[in-house]
Amino acid sequence: MKIIVPMAGRGSRLRPHSLTVPKPLIPVAGQPIVHRLVKDIVKVLNQPIEEIAFVLGDAAWFGDDVVKSLEALATGLGAKVSIYRQDQPLGTGHAIMCAKESLSGPAVIAYADTLIRADFNLDPEADAVIWVKQVDKPEAYGVVKLNENKEIVELVEKPEQFVSDLAVIGIYYFKEVSALKDELQKVLDNNIINGGEYQINDGIKGMMANGKTFKTGEVSEWMDCGNKAVTLETNQRMLDFLKADGEEQLIADSVKNKNSTIIEPCYIGENVILKNATVGPHVSIGNNCVIEDSTIKYSLIQNETTIKNANLDEAMIGNHVKYDGKFTKISIGDYSILE
């Protein structure tokens, strides 16, 4: 099995944080989004992973540090790593074809801006599986249309009339991914463009026209990381899941607690100093941070940041920040100083 992860976009909706860190590498509950996504997919598949291929943007943005972190992720999962570049943002179909050398055999394709919780077996009768989530307002999403055999027969983008309430979440399984590659090559060769870009859906429609069978795989949780508000919500939900699972150590042994209270669930990284502080619930704090004379809840703080004299609620703070004050509901990018 292979996993293909297009992650070339910069994530403009998550600025200022994505101005300095690619959105898929922003941490949620202590791990970068893409790391959690890939690990969760591996857990659902429950089979050996031969290769993980990442499609990155240009090297100026996705540099050596990004590549090293992805190499470590793949190696830790026992897989070969392949790195490809998408130098122009020409759409999902184009991004996948940038990794065409890896498009053979069974594969999962997953876009790195979402997190999931799922427990299902891949249908052995299906040529492909599109992972979906039941939603309350299907008119706001791309949805799948099913026939009487529960097979996907159509993809409908933001339907004005009810088609189904199963939204496409951006994760796909192909029993033989070269079939998708062949159809996407036709999309590129014939310059088939939708919304100004080459889309994966046009390749999928070609597979359906050739008689390939598509089924659904339904996830129990689908968590977005598109902007500050939903990222904080995802951080909260993920901390709840991780606390209930009991599989990850959420508070590092190296945390120095000086007259401070931790209200779980929280993630607190290595070498964090808490002094006269109340932290939690639903707070994630990265490595080497200092929190002093402060109260923080429902917030996400990255690495190497110092916070003093603060009362923070629904805050998202980047790396290497120095913050001293009483602002609330803030969103501060890397290397900021507020005194």
Coordinates of all heavy atoms in Angstrom, one line a residue, residues 243-301:
K243 N -7.0 11.8 25.0 CA -7.2 11.6 26.5 C -8.0 10.3 26.7 O -7.6 9.4 27.5 CB -7.9 12.7 27.1 CG -8.1 12.6 28.6 CD -6.8 12.5 29.4 CE -7.1 12.5 30.9 NZ -5.8 12.4 31.7
A244 N -9.1 10.1 25.9 CA -9.9 8.9 26.0 C -9.1 7.7 25.6 O -9.3 6.6 26.2 CB -11.2 9.1 25.2
D245 N -8.3 7.8 24.5 CA -7.6 6.6 24.0 C -6.5 6.2 25.0 O -6.3 5.0 25.1 CB -6.9 7.0 22.7 CG -7.9 7.2 21.5 OD1 -9.1 6.8 21.7 OD2 -7.5 7.8 20.5
G246 N -5.9 7.1 25.6 CA -4.8 6.8 26.5 C -3.5 6.3 25.9 O -2.7 5.6 26.6
E247 N -3.4 6.5 24.6 CA -2.2 5.9 23.9 C -1.0 6.8 23.8 O 0.1 6.4 23.5 CB -2.7 5.5 22.5 CG -3.7 4.4 22.5 CD -4.2 4.0 21.1 OE1 -3.7 4.6 20.1 OE2 -5.1 3.2 21.0
E248 N -1.2 8.1 24.0 CA -0.2 9.1 23.9 C 0.0 9.8 25.2 O -0.9 10.1 25.9 CB -0.5 10.2 22.8 CG -0.4 9.7 21.4 CD -0.6 10.8 20.4 OE1 -0.2 12.0 20.7 OE2 -1.1 10.6 19.3
Q249 N 1.3 10.0 25.6 CA 1.6 10.8 26.7 C 1.4 12.3 26.3 O 2.1 12.8 25.5 CB 3.0 10.6 27.2 CG 3.4 11.4 28.5 CD 4.7 11.1 29.0 OE1 5.4 10.1 28.6 NE2 5.2 11.9 30.0
L250 N 0.5 13.0 27.0 CA 0.1 14.3 26.6 C 0.9 15.4 27.3 O 1.0 16.5 26.9 CB -1.4 14.6 26.8 CG -2.3 13.7 25.9 CD1 -3.7 14.0 26.1 CD2 -2.0 13.9 24.4
I251 N 1.4 15.1 28.5 CA 2.2 16.0 29.3 C 3.6 15.4 29.5 O 3.7 14.4 30.2 CB 1.5 16.3 30.7 CG1 0.1 16.9 30.4 CG2 2.3 17.3 31.5 CD1 -0.8 17.1 31.6
A252 N 4.6 16.1 29.0 CA 5.9 15.6 29.1 C 6.4 15.5 30.5 O 6.1 16.4 31.4 CB 6.8 16.5 28.2
D253 N 7.3 14.6 30.8 CA 7.9 14.4 32.1 C 8.8 15.6 32.4 O 9.0 15.9 33.6 CB 8.7 13.1 32.1 CG 7.8 11.9 32.0 OD1 6.7 12.0 32.4 OD2 8.4 10.8 31.6
S254 N 9.3 16.3 31.4 CA 10.2 17.4 31.6 C 9.6 18.7 32.0 O 10.2 19.7 32.2 CB 11.1 17.6 30.4 OG 10.3 17.9 29.2
V255 N 8.2 18.8 32.0 CA 7.5 20.0 32.3 C 7.9 20.4 33.8 O 7.8 19.5 34.7 CB 6.0 19.8 32.2 CG1 5.2 21.0 32.8 CG2 5.6 19.6 30.7
K256 N 8.2 21.6 34.0 CA 8.5 22.2 35.3 C 7.3 23.0 35.8 O 7.0 24.0 35.3 CB 9.7 23.0 35.3 CG 11.0 22.3 34.9 CD 12.2 23.2 34.9 CE 13.5 22.3 34.5 NZ 14.7 23.2 34.4
N257 N 6.6 22.4 36.8 CA 5.4 23.0 37.3 C 5.7 23.7 38.7 O 6.0 23.1 39.7 CB 4.3 21.9 37.5 CG 3.0 22.5 37.9 OD1 2.9 23.6 38.6 ND2 1.9 21.8 37.6
K258 N 5.6 25.0 38.6 CA 5.9 25.8 39.8 C 4.6 26.6 40.2 O 4.2 27.6 39.6 CB 7.0 26.9 39.6 CG 8.3 26.2 39.1 CD 9.4 27.3 38.8 CE 10.7 26.6 38.4 NZ 11.8 27.6 38.1
N259 N 3.9 26.0 41.2 CA 2.7 26.6 41.8 C 1.7 26.8 40.7 O 1.0 27.9 40.6 CB 3.0 27.9 42.5 CG 1.9 28.4 43.3 OD1 1.1 27.6 43.9 ND2 1.7 29.7 43.3
S260 N 1.5 25.9 39.8 CA 0.6 26.0 38.7 C -0.4 24.8 38.6 O -0.2 23.8 39.2 CB 1.3 26.0 37.3 OG 2.2 27.2 37.3
T261 N -1.6 25.1 38.0 CA -2.6 24.1 37.9 C -2.8 23.7 36.4 O -3.0 24.6 35.6 CB -3.9 24.6 38.5 OG1 -3.7 25.0 39.8 CG2 -5.1 23.6 38.3
I262 N -2.9 22.4 36.1 CA -3.2 21.9 34.8 C -4.6 21.3 34.8 O -4.8 20.4 35.6 CB -2.1 20.9 34.3 CG1 -0.8 21.6 34.3 CG2 -2.5 20.4 32.9 CD1 0.4 20.6 34.0
I263 N -5.5 21.8 34.0 CA -6.8 21.3 33.9 C -6.9 20.5 32.6 O -6.9 21.0 31.5 CB -7.9 22.4 33.9 CG1 -7.7 23.3 35.1 CG2 -9.3 21.8 33.8 CD1 -8.6 24.5 35.1
E264 N -6.9 19.1 32.7 CA -6.9 18.3 31.5 C -8.2 18.3 30.8 O -9.2 18.6 31.4 CB -6.4 16.9 31.9 CG -5.0 16.9 32.5 CD -4.5 15.5 32.8 OE1 -4.5 14.7 31.8 OE2 -4.1 15.2 33.9
P265 N -8.2 17.9 29.5 CA -7.0 17.5 28.7 C -6.2 18.6 28.2 O -6.8 19.6 27.7 CB -7.7 16.7 27.6 CG -9.0 17.3 27.3 CD -9.5 17.8 28.7
C266 N -4.9 18.4 28.2 CA -4.0 19.4 27.6 C -2.8 18.6 27.0 O -2.5 17.5 27.5 CB -3.4 20.3 28.7 SG -4.5 21.6 29.3
Y267 N -2.2 19.2 26.0 CA -0.9 18.7 25.6 C 0.2 19.8 26.0 O 0.0 21.0 25.7 CB -0.8 18.6 24.1 CG 0.6 18.3 23.6 CD1 1.1 17.0 23.6 CD2 1.4 19.3 23.2 CE1 2.4 16.7 23.2 CE2 2.7 19.1 22.8 CZ 3.2 17.8 22.8 OH 4.5 17.5 22.4
I268 N 1.2 19.3 26.7 CA 2.3 20.2 27.1 C 3.6 19.6 26.8 O 3.9 18.5 27.2 CB 2.2 20.5 28.6 CG1 0.8 21.1 29.0 CG2 3.3 21.5 29.0 CD1 0.6 21.4 30.5
G269 N 4.4 20.2 25.9 CA 5.6 19.6 25.3 C 6.8 19.6 26.3 O 6.7 20.0 27.5
E270 N 7.9 19.3 25.7 CA 9.2 19.1 26.4 C 9.7 20.5 27.0 O 9.6 21.5 26.3 CB 10.2 18.5 25.6 CG 9.9 17.1 25.1 CD 9.9 16.0 26.2 OE1 10.5 16.4 27.3 OE2 9.4 14.9 26.0
N271 N 10.2 20.4 28.2 CA 10.9 21.6 28.8 C 10.1 22.8 28.9 O 10.6 23.9 28.9 CB 12.2 21.9 28.0 CG 13.1 20.6 27.9 OD1 13.4 20.0 28.9 ND2 13.6 20.3 26.7
V272 N 8.8 22.7 29.1 CA 7.9 23.8 29.3 C 8.0 24.2 30.8 O 8.0 23.3 31.7 CB 6.5 23.5 28.9 CG1 5.5 24.6 29.4 CG2 6.4 23.3 27.4
I273 N 8.0 25.5 31.1 CA 8.0 26.0 32.5 C 6.7 26.7 32.7 O 6.3 27.6 32.0 CB 9.2 27.0 32.7 CG1 10.5 26.3 32.5 CG2 9.1 27.6 34.1 CD1 11.7 27.3 32.5
L274 N 6.0 26.2 33.7 CA 4.7 26.8 34.2 C 5.0 27.4 35.6 O 5.4 26.7 36.5 CB 3.6 25.7 34.3 CG 3.3 24.9 33.0 CD1 2.2 23.9 33.3 CD2 2.9 25.8 31.9
K275 N 4.7 28.7 35.7 CA 5.0 29.4 36.9 C 3.8 30.2 37.3 O 3.4 31.2 36.5 CB 6.2 30.2 36.8 CG 6.6 30.9 38.1 CD 7.9 31.7 38.0 CE 8.4 32.4 39.3 NZ 9.6 33.1 39.1
N276 N 3.1 29.9 38.4 CA 1.9 30.7 38.9 C 0.9 30.8 37.7 O 0.4 31.8 37.4 CB 2.3 32.1 39.3 CG 3.3 32.1 40.5 OD1 3.2 31.2 41.4 ND2 4.3 33.0 40.4
A277 N 0.6 29.7 37.1 CA -0.3 29.7 35.9 C -1.4 28.6 36.1 O -1.3 27.7 36.9 CB 0.5 29.4 34.7
T278 N -2.5 28.9 35.4 CA -3.5 27.9 35.2 C -3.7 27.6 33.8 O -4.0 28.5 33.0 CB -4.9 28.4 35.8 OG1 -4.7 28.7 37.2 CG2 -6.0 27.4 35.6
V279 N -3.5 26.4 33.4 CA -3.5 26.0 32.0 C -4.6 24.9 31.8 O -4.6 23.9 32.4 CB -2.2 25.4 31.6 CG1 -2.2 24.9 30.1 CG2 -1.1 26.5 31.7
G280 N -5.5 25.2 30.8 CA -6.5 24.2 30.5 C -7.9 24.7 30.9 O -8.1 25.7 31.6
P281 N -8.9 23.9 30.4 CA -8.8 22.7 29.6 C -8.5 23.1 28.1 O -8.6 24.2 27.7 CB -10.1 22.0 29.7 CG -11.1 23.2 29.9 CD -10.3 24.2 30.7
H282 N -8.2 22.0 27.3 CA -8.0 22.1 25.9 C -7.0 23.1 25.4 O -7.3 24.0 24.6 CB -9.4 22.4 25.2 CG -10.4 21.3 25.5 ND1 -11.5 21.6 26.3 CD2 -10.4 20.0 25.2 CE1 -12.2 20.5 26.4 NE2 -11.6 19.5 25.8
V283 N -5.8 23.0 26.0 CA -4.7 23.8 25.6 C -3.6 22.9 25.1 O -3.3 21.9 25.7 CB -4.2 24.7 26.8 CG1 -2.9 25.4 26.5 CG2 -5.3 25.7 27.2
S284 N -2.9 23.3 24.0 CA -1.7 22.7 23.5 C -0.6 23.7 23.6 O -0.7 24.8 23.1 CB -1.9 22.2 22.1 OG -2.8 21.1 22.0
I285 N 0.5 23.3 24.2 CA 1.7 24.1 24.4 C 2.9 23.4 23.8 O 3.2 22.2 24.3 CB 1.9 24.5 25.8 CG1 0.7 25.3 26.4 CG2 3.2 25.4 26.0 CD1 0.8 25.5 27.9
G286 N 3.6 24.0 22.9 CA 4.8 23.3 22.3 C 6.0 23.3 23.2 O 6.0 23.8 24.3
N287 N 7.1 22.8 22.6 CA 8.3 22.7 23.4 C 9.0 24.0 23.8 O 8.9 25.0 23.1 CB 9.4 21.9 22.6 CG 8.9 20.5 22.3 OD1 8.1 19.9 23.0 ND2 9.4 19.9 21.2
N288 N 9.6 24.0 25.0 CA 10.5 25.1 25.4 C 9.7 26.4 25.6 O 10.3 27.5 25.3 CB 11.6 25.3 24.4 CG 12.5 24.0 24.3 OD1 12.9 23.4 25.2 ND2 12.7 23.6 23.0
C289 N 8.5 26.3 26.0 CA 7.7 27.5 26.3 C 7.8 27.9 27.7 O 8.0 27.0 28.6 CB 6.2 27.3 25.9 SG 6.0 27.3 24.1
V290 N 7.5 29.1 28.1 CA 7.4 29.6 29.4 C 6.1 30.3 29.6 O 5.7 31.2 28.8 CB 8.5 30.6 29.8 CG1 8.3 31.2 31.2 CG2 9.9 30.0 29.6
I291 N 5.3 29.8 30.6 CA 4.0 30.4 30.9 C 4.0 30.9 32.3 O 4.2 30.1 33.2 CB 2.8 29.4 30.7 CG1 3.0 28.7 29.3 CG2 1.5 30.1 30.8 CD1 2.8 29.5 28.1
E292 N 3.9 32.2 32.5 CA 4.1 32.8 33.9 C 3.0 33.7 34.2 O 2.6 34.6 33.4 CB 5.4 33.5 33.9 CG 5.8 34.0 35.3 CD 7.2 34.6 35.4 OE1 8.0 34.3 34.4 OE2 7.5 35.3 36.3
D293 N 2.4 33.6 35.4 CA 1.4 34.5 35.9 C 0.3 34.7 34.9 O -0.2 35.8 34.6 CB 2.0 35.9 36.2 CG 3.0 35.8 37.3 OD1 2.8 35.1 38.3 OD2 4.1 36.4 37.2
S294 N -0.2 33.5 34.4 CA -1.2 33.6 33.3 C -2.2 32.5 33.4 O -2.0 31.5 34.1 CB -0.5 33.4 31.9 OG 0.4 34.5 31.7
T295 N -3.4 32.8 32.8 CA -4.5 31.8 32.7 C -4.7 31.6 31.2 O -5.0 32.5 30.5 CB -5.7 32.3 33.4 OG1 -5.5 32.5 34.8 CG2 -6.9 31.3 33.3
I296 N -4.7 30.3 30.8 CA -4.9 30.0 29.4 C -5.8 28.8 29.3 O -5.7 27.8 29.9 CB -3.5 29.6 28.7 CG1 -2.5 30.7 28.9 CG2 -3.7 29.3 27.3 CD1 -1.1 30.4 28.4
K297 N -6.8 29.0 28.4 CA -7.8 27.9 28.1 C -8.2 27.9 26.6 O -8.1 29.0 26.0 CB -9.0 27.9 29.0 CG -9.8 29.2 28.9 CD -10.9 29.2 29.9 CE -11.7 30.5 29.9 NZ -12.9 30.5 30.8
Y298 N -8.5 26.7 26.1 CA -9.0 26.6 24.8 C -8.1 27.3 23.8 O -8.5 28.1 22.9 CB -10.4 27.1 24.6 CG -11.4 26.5 25.5 CD1 -12.0 27.2 26.6 CD2 -11.8 25.1 25.4 CE1 -12.9 26.6 27.5 CE2 -12.7 24.5 26.3 CZ -13.2 25.3 27.3 OH -14.1 24.7 28.2
S299 N -6.8 27.0 23.9 CA -5.8 27.7 23.1 C -4.7 26.8 22.5 O -4.5 25.7 23.0 CB -5.2 28.9 23.9 OG -6.1 29.8 24.3
L300 N -4.0 27.3 21.5 CA -2.9 26.5 20.9 C -1.7 27.4 20.8 O -1.7 28.5 20.2 CB -3.4 26.1 19.5 CG -2.6 24.9 18.8 CD1 -3.5 24.3 17.7 CD2 -1.3 25.4 18.2
I301 N -0.6 27.0 21.4 CA 0.6 27.8 21.5 C 1.7 26.9 20.9 O 1.9 25.7 21.3 CB 0.9 28.2 22.9 CG1 -0.2 29.1 23.4 CG2 2.3 28.9 23.0 CD1 -0.2 29.3 24.9

